[in-house]
């Protein structure tokens, strides 16, 4: 389901450390998708930005979102619900939103240390286009981007990781 002001309180109760972020995201017309278990308890979320650029709060960098794309970010599934279809459910809901907003591509960043997420994205058909390294020096973000060649051996190794 899609988060609204009505279920914001419940979302904040489940993920208290993100209270201000969730509120700010809804205030900026971003979309938060929620996953619930059979008892109706929120067990995960994924954020979507349909604008032309997104300011990353943790790094301070501005991400240019390609035309006709949706930027996916800050997804989380409670550990006991991982590998149980929640992530696929998010992608199904996102496909509906893509049609509704006439978007053709999904755009995201995955932490290369998060092998479960990286493997899931690759299996779902996402492609790696670049590698970004972000440093903060005296509070100012610096981003270095390296293009990635599509090496089939690298993809196989990542999927088997």
């Amino acid at each position: 389901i899609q988060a609204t002001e009505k279920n914001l309180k419940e979302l904040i109760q489940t993920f208290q450390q993100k209270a201000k972020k969730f509120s700010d995201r809804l205030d900026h017309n971003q979309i938060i998708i929620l996953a619930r278990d059979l008892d109706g308890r929120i067990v995960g979320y994924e954020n979507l930005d349909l604008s032309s650029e997104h300011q990353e709060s943790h790094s301070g960098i501005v991400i240019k979102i390609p035309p006709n794309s949706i930027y996916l970010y800050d997804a989380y599934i409670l550990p006991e619900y991982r590998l149980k279809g929640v992530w696929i459910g998010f992608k199904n809901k996102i496909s509906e939103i893509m049609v509704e907003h006439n978007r053709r591509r999904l755009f995201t960043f995955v932490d290369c240390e998060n092998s479960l997420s990286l493997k899931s994205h690759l299996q779902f058909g996402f492609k790696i286009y670049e590698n970004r390294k972000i440093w903060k020096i005296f509070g100012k973000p610096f981003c270095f981007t390296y293009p990635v060649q599509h090496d089939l051996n690298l993809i196989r190794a990542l999927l088997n990781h």
Side-chain angles (χ1 to χ4, degrees), residues 48 112-114:
L48 290 69
C112 62
E113 299 296 318
N114 187 342

Side-chain angles (χ1 to χ4, degrees), residues 53-102:
E53 62 182 32
H54 177 84
Q55 172 103 28
E56 276 294 325
S57 59
H58 67 280
S59 66
I61 65 167
V62 174
I63 296 170
K64 301 286 185 196
I65 302 172
N68 297 316
S69 298
I70 296 175
Y71 177 55
L72 310 176
Y73 70 102
D74 190 23
Y76 183 79
I77 300 168
L78 293 174
E80 61 269 29
Y81 289 90
R82 293 177 188 165
L83 299 175
K84 298 196 185 311
V86 174
W87 194 81
I88 296 296
F90 284 150
K91 298 309 169 255
N92 287 335
K93 180 63 178 170
I94 291 166
S95 68
E96 293 172 15
I97 293 169
M98 289 177 74
V99 170
E100 181 182 331
H101 292 274
N102 198 29

